Amino acid sequence: MTASGAGTRTAQPSPPRANGYFDNDSMIRRLHRERALALSGPRALLMQAAHPLAVAGLLAHSGALDDPYVRLARTAEVMNVITFGARRDAERLTRRVRAMHGSISGKLPETVGRYPAGTPYRADDPELLLWILYTLVDSTEVVYQTYVGRLRADDREALWKDYRLVGRLFGLRPGDLPRSAKDLRAYGRQMLTGDALQVGDWARRRAREIVLEPPVPDLARPLLATVNFITAALLPDRIREQYGFPRLPPAAVREALVRAGALYVRRGLLPLLPPRIREVPAARRAA
């Protein structure tokens, strides 16, 4: 989970499956074994930064937007251990995150959206942790369905069941979490249409640098341009507009471009890739 955790909220999830919390039949493993899911990380981080209190309490304190690539790598490592590793290792890492964030609190230095300067925040606020968790689930679903394959209603339900367990590892209690995938989608709609989200100046400046100006060699610039387009195109419209990313083609054209690229990846590229290339190393070790 990106920059989240609760120092005093230590409710433990249900008993693990085999050696870890998940097995190879679990939905979270089936999705996150795909390397294509790496595209979900930047999208999730940009969505998280659209919440002023999440920026202040969970991202700014951790340096997530000052060193975003280290942060994304660390997030990927923790999620890989939770998803593919042993229970004891997952508990060790998430216990450390909860302890690290349990002491973080403060007040907003300036007004952002509906939140006036001086609004208090704390990193173990379950409302912030739920938003962070939602961005991870939503980005996982969006990227998987765009570039790998379809998800049925029962697939989404199984995925949310797995992520509920992840949320509890990071300190959320059962009552803090939507009961079903349908309830989760209703929560997402409420957040995206309400006034809780507002990209502030600091987040806009740093987040744009995350997407548009990463430290990559010149030879990788053409690939970077493609990844930038994908990241921006897959963001919810309202959040993308608040970041002020360069104007994209009209929605119909944008969707056609993404859909065409996705069709090539799903039908032309992925079926030809051997597991050692298509799947993340943690998934192959856990197989």
Side-chain angles (χ1 to χ4, degrees):
M1 191 177 219
T2 303
S4 60
T8 58
R9 302 173 64 83
T10 57
Q12 290 299 308
S14 56
R17 308 172 190 172
N19 186 43
Y21 279 107
F22 303 103
D23 59 29
N24 287 332
D25 292 327
S26 63
M27 191 58 58
I28 195 170
R29 277 198 181 187
R30 289 171 57 187
L31 269 60
H32 279 281
R33 70 188 180 193
E34 301 283 350
R35 285 187 186 271
L37 267 293
L39 292 170
S40 67
R43 180 186 187 271
L45 184 58
L46 290 174
M47 290 181 67
Q48 291 161 21
H51 195 305
L53 299 185
V55 166
L58 300 176
L59 300 180
H61 274 280
S62 67
L65 297 184
D66 292 323
D67 200 348
Y69 304 99
V70 171
R71 184 65 185 181
L72 288 171
R74 187 161 63 241
T75 298
E77 177 187 1
V78 173
M79 286 302 300
N80 276 340
V81 171
I82 293 172
T83 303
F84 300 106
R87 181 189 185 192
R88 64 180 182 276
D89 294 329
E91 292 180 346
R92 172 178 54 82
L93 287 177
T94 53
R95 184 167 55 245
R96 182 185 306 165
V97 173
R98 292 197 306 269
M100 180 173 60
H101 289 98
S103 61
I104 293 177
S105 62
K107 297 181 179 180
L108 285 184
E110 59 187 9
T111 298
V112 183
R114 78 178 192 189
Y115 305 98
T119 299
Y121 61 80
R122 71 178 197 274
D124 61 356
D125 183 341
E127 292 186 8
L128 299 187
L129 297 180
L130 178 57
W131 173 244
I132 299 294
L133 187 66
Y134 172 80
T135 68
L136 297 177
V137 180
D138 185 64
S139 295
T140 293
E141 290 186 356
V142 167
V143 171
Y144 186 89
Q145 293 195 104
T146 301
Y147 290 101
V148 182
R150 296 180 60 186
L151 292 174
R152 301 171 303 182
D154 56 343
D155 294 331
R156 291 193 295 270
E157 199 66 56
L159 181 65
W160 175 232
K161 181 180 178 180
D162 290 343
Y163 266 101
R164 280 177 57 91
L165 194 154
V166 173
R168 294 186 64 187
L169 280 171
F170 281 97
L172 286 164
R173 297 171 180 171
D176 297 328
L177 296 158
R179 294 178 59 86
S180 68
K182 181 180 179 180
D183 293 336
L184 180 70
R185 291 195 297 275
Y187 162 80
R189 287 193 298 270
Q190 177 184 349
M191 291 294 291
L192 291 169
T193 59
D195 60 356
L197 304 180
Q198 179 66 51
V199 178
D201 291 339
W202 183 82
R204 184 179 300 109
R205 181 179 68 255
R206 296 299 294 127
R208 284 172 58 89
E209 293 174 4
I210 291 174
V211 175
L212 301 179
E213 302 174 16
V216 299
D218 291 341
L219 290 177
R221 289 289 165 181
L223 177 61
L224 173 63
T226 301
V227 173
N228 286 345
F229 177 83
I230 291 170
T231 301
L234 295 183
L235 280 171
D237 289 342
R238 180 181 175 188
I239 292 179
R240 183 178 60 253
E241 291 167 2
Q242 288 188 15
Y243 274 118
F245 286 128
R247 183 179 297 276
L248 295 175
V253 177
R254 182 172 70 245
E255 291 172 4
L257 289 172
V258 172
R259 188 164 53 247
L263 188 64
Y264 167 73
V265 171
R266 286 200 307 266
R267 298 185 180 179
L269 182 60
L270 288 185
L272 301 178
L273 294 178
R276 70 178 183 277
I277 295 176
R278 176 173 174 171
E279 297 180 354
V280 297
R284 298 199 305 274
R285 290 194 297 267

